[in-house]
Amino acid sequence: MKLTGSNFPWLSMTTGITLVVILPILLIVVYALGADSEVLEHLKETVLLDYVKNTAFLLLSVSILSLIFGVGSAFIVTFYDFKFHNIYAIGLILPFAIPSYILGFIYSDVFGYFSYFHIFLMDLGINSYFDVLNFNTVSIVLALALYPYIYLIVRASFLKNANTLLNPALTLGMSRTKALIKVVLPLSRVAIAGGLTLVLMETISEYGVVSYYGVNTLSTAIFSSWFGMNDSGSAAYISSIAMVFILVILIVEKFSQGKAKFSLESSSAPLKKIKLKGIKLIGAYTFLSIPLFFGFILPIVWIIVYTFEYAKDSFDIEFFSVIINSFLASSFASFAIIAISIILAYTYRIIPNFYTKYITKFATLGYSMPGAVIAIGIIILFGDFDNYLINTFELEGLLLSGTLFALVFGYIVRFLAVGLNSIIASFEKVGININKASRNLGKTPLKTLFHIELPILKNSILVAYLLVFIDTIKELPLTLILRPFDYETLATKTYELAINEMVQESAVYALCIICICLIPIIFSLKAYK
């Protein structure tokens, strides 16, 4: 549609919202370029290079393990037939419900020094001690927590294209193994690259596990610079390095797709699966059981046991205060994100040109940034604004910094992409003709949206709200930095109890997070049977 007087306010709102949302990220770049302090020079001369190397090696190790778990599991459950096939297909999604920092706390408690496992070994006469608080364990924990990104995306690609690609190859005489390796996997490389990109971005963002296990990465360096040294310039400089990592990952992912475009005819022919027997069946069960057992079953059993043992002392005023704090912050943020997403998506819907296409993409830039990076950008932004008000109007106290508004704004910058992508997809399903018909009958864009399109999309909007709500509930690094003083959420309370060697007491808070995170998985189970 052409830009008209009735459309112009939507374009103005979209432009203004996008500028506000990306401002913290831009400030990181500005402050990084001007960073010059003794603290930063000391970091450059001593440990910064090690932080960069640790981050790079962590990305490499997590990506390898996640690809093995994700692609391997998707490959087996899609192309082979065996008993309990559907149970494994669904169960392999469940590790999504356990945030990586909770998984890390549990495994430290299970396998750490004087843990149940260590005591069991001593009872057997094995007195050797092995340290689990190391780089290798962090890699395994993150891979167990993040491989479902690859599993879900790759399996969806396999299910969509497998019968179209595999059956003709088999008919032409190609062996099944050769067809899978030379036909199906290469044509699924875009899906594999997409899932791996999400894994890598989450790995860079991770703070809870790496800090707890004593592995120094760029994420921990940002926290150290801000909380330990109170140096915003150094924090911004290190944040900019993390942004470079993200940028490189996105560029590599983009180029990995190349210019390939695949157009596949749909096929109603059933996918021919191989019935596994003997040693191959045992191998498949073993391979699939490793991520399912260690990624979900063992930690959830451990958490439930601890909850029943210690929950009787946990249901106090503090517990319900944490629940209320979490729901308030996440509810406010989710409502704001969905409202903003509707504005941005509707603008692109009624003005589908080059400008609106890319301005909406810029608005989602925060989702590719680590939570700690966004938090530092917001602290710089709000700190400068508060200082301006204090110096200009002689106000006492901070107006924005350290408030619930700062936390909610951080969630908006970080998770706007989740709501926006969901709303855009919902609008596309409805189609544009209903909007054009309403406009031709004299309805304004606003009336068309509120009276016609939003009622149609109410279920999709609810799903988008839930997805955003869950992401904000389990977000840790951003919440740790931006939360108001003495304001605890489920994520921060779980983390603080765990780092104070109170993993048992943290179980009830961790279980609350897991139960909330299970909601979208339950809604989506039918799609992956």
Side-chain angles (χ1 to χ4, degrees):
M1 293 184 181
K2 294 181 179 180
L3 181 61
T4 63
S6 60
N7 292 342
F8 184 75
W10 294 93
L11 189 63
S12 300
M13 284 190 294
T14 295
T15 302
I17 289 170
T18 301
L19 291 175
V20 171
V21 167
I22 67 172
L23 188 55
I25 300 173
L26 297 178
L27 280 177
I28 286 289
V29 177
V30 172
Y31 267 68
L33 293 175
D36 184 18
S37 65
E38 293 182 2
V39 171
L40 181 57
E41 290 302 318
H42 175 71
L43 289 174
K44 288 180 179 179
E45 294 173 359
T46 55
V47 296
L48 186 57
L49 182 59
D50 290 333
Y51 290 170
V52 174
K53 288 180 179 179
N54 287 344
T55 302
F57 283 123
L58 186 63
L59 289 172
L60 178 62
S61 58
V62 172
S63 63
I64 292 173
L65 291 173
S66 298
L67 284 171
I68 292 172
F69 290 146
V71 178
S73 299
F75 193 86
I76 293 172
V77 298
T78 303
F79 297 110
Y80 295 94
D81 185 28
F82 50 92
K83 197 173 183 180
F84 307 121
H85 165 272
N86 286 335
I87 293 177
Y88 276 103
I90 293 171
L92 288 164
I93 309 171
L94 296 179
F96 239 150
I98 305 182
S100 54
Y101 53 88
I102 293 178
L103 200 63
F105 301 153
I106 293 299
Y107 276 107
S108 172
D109 195 61
V110 172
F111 296 108
Y113 189 62
F114 276 117
S115 64
Y116 292 99
F117 183 72
H118 189 221
I119 294 172
F120 172 73
L121 291 180
M122 290 192 294
D123 291 339
L124 294 177
I126 303 174
N127 294 320
S128 60
Y129 168 67
F130 53 92
D131 181 20
V132 297
L133 298 179
N134 55 42
F135 181 91
N136 294 330
T137 308
V138 170
S139 300
I140 295 171
V141 167
L142 289 178
L144 288 171
L146 300 176
Y147 85 87
Y149 280 112
I150 297 175
Y151 171 76
L152 285 168
I153 296 174
V154 172
R155 184 166 185 250
S157 175
F158 285 165
L159 288 172
K160 180 180 179 181
N161 302 325
N163 61 340
T164 307
L165 299 169
L166 188 60
N167 290 339
L170 296 176
T171 302
L172 292 173
M174 185 177 288
S175 68
R176 176 175 288 267
T177 302
K178 193 173 182 179
L180 290 174
I181 295 175
K182 292 196 171 183
V183 178
V184 177
L185 279 178
L187 291 178
S188 299
R189 71 177 187 270
V190 173
I192 295 172
L196 181 59
T197 298
L198 293 174
V199 168
L200 294 175
M201 289 193 296
E202 290 294 332
T203 301
I204 292 177
S205 301
E206 179 56 42
Y207 173 73
V209 176
V210 293
S211 63
Y212 189 74
Y213 280 65
V215 176
N216 292 317
T217 64
L218 290 173
S219 182
T220 60
I222 293 171
F223 273 79
S224 298
S225 298
W226 179 252
F227 287 109
M229 305 173 187
N230 196 27
D231 188 344
S232 60
S234 297
Y237 184 88
I238 299 171
S239 297
S240 68
I241 298 176
M243 291 169 63
V244 170
F245 268 91
I246 293 292
L247 182 61
V248 170
I249 290 170
L250 293 175
I251 292 173
V252 171
E253 190 269 340
K254 184 70 175 177
F255 276 95
S256 70
Q257 299 179 18
K259 297 182 179 179
K261 294 183 179 179
F262 308 113
S263 179
L264 300 174
E265 297 292 335
S266 61
S267 172
S268 59
L271 176 64
K272 298 175 183 178
K273 294 187 176 184
I274 294 178
K275 185 79 173 178
L276 291 177
K277 297 179 182 179
I279 191 68
K280 291 184 179 180
L281 178 61
I282 296 173
Y285 279 139
T286 303
F287 182 84
L288 296 178
S289 296
I290 290 173
L292 177 58
F293 180 78
F294 290 102
F296 183 78
I297 296 175
L298 177 59
I300 195 66
V301 168
W302 213 260
I303 289 172
I304 291 173
V305 170
Y306 276 166
T307 298
F308 275 101
E309 287 184 359
Y310 295 92
K312 59 186 178 185
D313 300 323
S314 299
F315 297 116
D316 51 14
I317 295 177
E318 183 182 16
F319 173 78
F320 291 105
S321 174
V322 170
I323 295 289
I324 292 171
N325 288 345
S326 298
F327 272 76
L328 278 177
S330 295
S331 297
F332 289 153
S334 301
F335 180 82
I337 287 172
I338 296 303
I340 293 171
S341 297
I342 290 173
I343 293 172
L344 299 182
Y346 194 64
T347 301
Y348 180 58
R349 179 173 173 79
I350 62 177
I351 316 172
N353 56 30
F354 177 87
Y355 178 79
T356 55
K357 175 183 178 180
Y358 282 95
I359 197 92
T360 51
K361 287 185 180 294
F362 276 117
T364 62
L365 189 61
Y367 191 66
S368 62
M369 295 292 128
V373 172
I374 293 172
I376 294 300
I378 291 174
I379 285 178
I380 293 172
L381 173 63
F382 285 2
D384 288 348
F385 183 74
D386 284 338
N387 288 333
Y388 171 78
L389 293 179
I390 291 172
N391 295 329
T392 304
F393 301 102
E394 298 183 354
L395 298 178
E396 294 184 2
L398 301 175
L399 183 64
L400 296 179
S401 301
T403 64
L404 182 60
F405 178 80
L407 179 59
V408 170
F409 182 65
Y411 287 150
I412 292 172
V413 177
R414 178 83 169 89
F415 298 113
L416 180 59
V418 179
L420 182 57
N421 290 338
S422 299
I423 299 299
I424 288 177
S426 301
F427 274 132
E428 289 177 351
K429 289 180 181 178
V430 173
I432 192 63
N433 289 334
I434 190 172
N435 182 278
K436 290 180 178 179
S438 175
R439 300 286 296 280
N440 289 335
L441 291 173
K443 291 279 189 179
T444 64
L446 186 62
K447 289 184 178 180
T448 299
L449 176 64
F450 276 95
H451 295 165
I452 298 175
E453 297 189 278
L454 288 186
I456 297 174
L457 298 175
K458 59 184 179 182
N459 290 333
S460 299
I461 292 173
L462 177 60
V463 171
Y465 180 91
L466 288 174
L467 291 174
V468 174
F469 184 88
I470 289 161
D471 276 334
T472 56
I473 279 284
K474 64 182 184 180
E475 171 63 26
L476 177 63
L478 183 145
T479 310
L480 281 173
I481 296 175
L482 291 180
R483 60 181 172 152
F485 176 74
D486 205 24
Y487 190 94
E488 298 287 358
T489 67
L490 287 170
T492 62
K493 190 65 177 180
T494 302
Y495 174 76
E496 292 194 350
L497 287 173
I499 62 173
N500 289 316
E501 305 301 330
M502 300 172 68
V503 176
Q504 296 91 339
E505 289 79 359
S506 72
V508 64
Y509 297 99
L511 186 61
C512 290
I513 296 174
I514 293 170
C515 291
I516 294 171
C517 293
L518 279 170
I519 293 174
I521 295 177
I522 293 172
F523 274 114
S524 63
L525 286 183
K526 291 183 179 180
Y528 295 96
K529 287 184 179 179

